[in-house]
């Protein structure tokens, strides 16, 4: 059996030309991480383009198969019973008198939960969030209702996708400690048919964090509704049109546009390939987007994959990218540059391709925390599925923030 692997990876990175990160100012040190600040960050795409302050490490608690520990043990490295039954021997249980709760995650703070995913059959038990060593949970709700948007958190901050996977994006900051439990099933049995990933930020010791409370959630209900509405509707990237490219790019040739001198930030890229329907898939893979920021090429990717539609043309509606059925593709990742930028379309296909590209940008205050946007791509055909093997799609060095793939 053979298969194809394709990946498009995006990151915000501090390039070697960027000055050393400045130490926090007194103002930065005084501002705590709060439920409100995390909510506002969700609708502030520009925040991704600056090195986070305070810094944090992204971590994850999950139901991966505990037999998988090291590539030096090839028999177990590819163990794939990646649900709570597969981690049964590693499960921890807490006796609550009338019930036993299964511990999904335990982390010392300061930190913040930023995403909770769970898949499998419809859960019947309750999920509980315990913060800072408290005996009473700050959040207690049926998992199915909470994570599909039928409890106190509405979509898209909580939603069930078409595959019946549950997603909770409500940020939950904590100052000292966080424990999340689930009560379906009882030891020694595992909760049946349950998978989970809990993604969280770990802040340095001493970081000021105001822990989540339901009182604070209710006090900020209007802001929660506003953020949910904004997340549900792809925004206008903003900026003014600063460069356009309208021409036919011959096979094997390229066309480029230079952007105004910095400091600027690309806010939106919009692209159409005016090709016959029969040529769409080949053109989306054959036309390559290249970008140079401050003299360094940081983007090299087929346009279909870059805009999130490859292979072929597929409608997409997301916060960062939109693909319409008429072929209009829009990207809203923020791409700052200090002095210069150039966007290039390279046609590696065998047919000429008419293109229409517009670039919207505006001023950017380039500072020591500003980062360049990077995007790379890798594809490989004919990979054997046996014997099992790892397929590496990214080697990254230096300081950066991984924003998606």
């Amino acid at each position: 059996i053979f298969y194809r692997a394709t990946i498009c990876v995006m990151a915000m990175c501090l390039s070697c030309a960027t000055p050393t990160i400045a130490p926090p100012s007194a103002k930065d040190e005084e501002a705590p991480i709060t439920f409100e600040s995390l909510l506002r960050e969700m609708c502030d795409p520009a925040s991704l383009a600056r090195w986070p302050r305070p810094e944090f490490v992204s971590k994850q608690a999950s139901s991966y198969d505990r037999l998988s520990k090291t590539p030096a043990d090839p028999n177990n490295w590819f163990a794939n019973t990646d649900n709570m039954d597969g981690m049964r021997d590693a499960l921890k249980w807490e006796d609550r008198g009338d019930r036993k709760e299964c511990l999904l995650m335990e982390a010392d703070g300061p930190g913040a939960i930023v995403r909770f995913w769970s898949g499998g059959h419809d859960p019947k038990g309750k999920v509980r969030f315990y913060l800072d060593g408290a005996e009473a949970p700050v959040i207690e709700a049926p998992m199915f209702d909470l994570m599909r948007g039928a409890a106190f958190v509405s979509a898209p901050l909580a939603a069930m996708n078409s595959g019946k996977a549950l997603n909770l994006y409500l940020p939950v900051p904590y100052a000292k400690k966080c424990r999340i439990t689930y009560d379906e099933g009882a030891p020694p049995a595992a909760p049946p048919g349950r998978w989970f990933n809990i993604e969280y930020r770990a802040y340095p010791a001493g970081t000021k964090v105001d822990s989540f409370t339901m009182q604070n959630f209710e006090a900020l209900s209007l802001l929660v509704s506003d953020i949910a509405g904004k997340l549900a509707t792809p925004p206008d990237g903003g900026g003014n049109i600063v460069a356009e490219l309208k021409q036919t790019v011959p096979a094997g040739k390229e066309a480029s546009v230079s952007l105004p001198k910095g400091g600027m930030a690309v806010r939106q890229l919009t692209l159409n390939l005016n090709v016959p329907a029969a040529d769409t898939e080949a053109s989306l893979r054959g036309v390559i987007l290249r970008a140079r920021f401050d003299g360094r090429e940081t983007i090299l990717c087929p346009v279909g994959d870059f805009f999130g539609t490859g292979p072929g043309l597929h409608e997409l509606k997301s916060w960062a990218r939109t693909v319409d059925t008429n072929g209009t593709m829009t990207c809203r990742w923020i791409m700052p540059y200090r002095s210069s930028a150039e966007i290039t379309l390279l046609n590696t296909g065998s047919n000429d391709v008419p293109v229409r590209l517009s670039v919207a940008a505006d001023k950017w205050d380039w500072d020591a925390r500003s980062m360049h946007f990077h995007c790379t791509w890798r594809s490989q055909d004919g990979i054997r599925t046996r014997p099992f093997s790892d397929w590496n799609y990214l080697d990254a060095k230096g300081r950066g923030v991984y924003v998606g793939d």
Side-chain angles (χ1 to χ4, degrees):
I1 301 174
F2 298 87
Y3 75 101
R4 169 187 292 179
T6 302
I7 196 79
C8 173
V9 183
M10 285 122 174
M12 303 297 301
C13 299
L14 292 162
S15 68
C16 58
T18 305
T20 303
I21 299 299
S25 66
K27 181 180 179 181
D28 292 321
E29 293 176 340
E30 292 171 358
I33 301 296
T34 66
F35 175 58
E36 180 178 355
S37 71
L38 292 171
L39 277 175
R40 294 188 183 281
E41 181 186 326
M42 295 177 79
C43 286
D44 180 15
S47 66
L48 286 174
R50 297 190 193 275
W51 183 255
R53 180 175 290 164
E55 298 180 356
F56 60 85
V57 175
S58 294
K59 294 188 175 184
Q60 176 177 275
S62 76
S63 56
Y64 75 93
D65 194 322
R66 266 46 179 183
L67 291 175
S68 180
K69 297 178 180 178
T70 169
D73 178 12
N75 291 329
N76 288 323
W77 181 240
F78 297 101
N80 196 36
T81 308
D82 54 341
N83 57 31
M84 293 182 71
D85 190 59
M87 59 177 287
R88 181 182 303 185
D89 292 341
L91 290 176
K92 296 181 180 179
W93 295 87
E94 299 180 350
D95 193 340
R96 292 283 171 177
D98 61 336
R99 66 181 183 274
K100 293 188 182 295
E101 298 177 15
C102 181
L103 186 64
L104 304 186
M105 175 229 176
E106 183 174 30
D108 291 329
I113 307 297
V114 292
R115 179 174 180 254
F116 187 171
W117 171 94
S118 186
H121 70 83
D122 295 347
K124 299 182 175 69
K126 287 186 176 181
V127 64
R128 296 173 175 86
F129 291 64
Y130 297 89
L131 304 186
D132 303 336
E135 286 298 313
V138 67
I139 294 175
E140 178 179 14
M143 176 187 275
F144 191 50
D145 291 341
L146 175 64
M147 296 181 64
R148 68 187 173 106
F152 64 91
V153 185
S154 61
L157 290 171
M160 181 170 65
N161 68 16
S162 58
K164 300 195 75 173
L166 304 168
N167 293 274
L168 180 68
Y169 293 97
L170 185 77
V172 180
Y174 51 93
K176 299 177 181 178
K177 191 179 187 68
C178 178
R179 290 164 45 254
I180 299 177
T181 68
Y182 179 59
D183 70 1
E184 183 180 359
R194 180 61 35 210
W195 290 260
F196 69 89
N197 297 329
I198 302 173
E199 296 161 17
Y200 62 101
R201 296 177 178 181
Y203 295 107
T207 300
K208 295 180 180 179
V209 177
D210 291 345
S211 296
F212 178 93
T213 66
M214 285 303 302
Q215 292 85 355
N216 194 221
F217 175 86
E218 292 165 0
L220 293 171
S221 60
L222 293 179
L223 176 62
V224 173
S225 297
D226 180 59
I227 296 298
K230 289 179 179 178
L231 290 173
T233 305
D236 180 348
N240 299 310
I241 301 297
V242 296
E244 293 184 286
L245 183 64
K246 296 180 181 180
Q247 68 179 77
T248 296
V249 183
K253 302 294 185 180
E254 64 181 34
S256 301
V257 290
S258 295
L259 307 189
K261 297 297 182 183
M264 299 283 288
V266 174
R267 296 280 179 172
Q268 186 162 293
L269 293 173
T270 304
L271 177 65
N272 281 86
L273 305 183
N274 298 313
V275 297
D279 296 339
T280 297
E281 183 169 338
S283 297
L284 288 170
R285 181 54 56 80
V287 176
I288 310 299
L289 177 70
R290 306 175 68 176
R292 296 181 65 85
F293 295 106
D294 296 324
R296 182 180 181 185
E297 185 171 86
T298 66
I299 298 176
L300 180 66
C301 185
V303 295
D305 299 271
F306 179 84
F307 287 95
T309 182
L313 185 69
H314 306 280
E315 187 175 14
L316 172 68
K317 182 181 178 182
S318 75
W319 179 256
R321 294 174 295 183
T322 302
V323 178
D324 295 328
T325 53
N326 66 3
T328 301
M329 300 177 291
T330 304
C331 168
R332 290 176 289 272
W333 290 112
I334 305 298
M335 307 177 192
Y337 58 97
R338 183 167 44 184
S339 58
S340 65
E342 183 181 66
I343 308 292
T344 298
L345 294 174
L346 169 64
N347 182 5
T348 66
S350 56
N351 297 321
D352 298 349
V353 178
V355 303
R356 186 169 72 251
L357 172 72
S358 66
V359 184
D362 62 9
K363 295 293 185 182
W364 179 269
D365 182 16
W366 186 276
D367 59 10
R369 292 172 51 221
S370 296
M371 296 185 285
H372 289 112
F373 181 84
H374 288 242
C375 177
T376 188
W377 175 83
R378 185 188 177 200
S379 181
Q380 183 177 344
D381 288 333
I383 301 175
R384 291 184 176 273
T385 60
R386 299 295 185 277
F388 292 128
S389 62
D390 290 321
W391 191 75
N392 186 52
Y393 61 86
L394 175 67
D395 285 307
K397 298 178 181 178
R399 307 180 77 179
V401 176
Y402 189 91
V403 296
D405 56 54

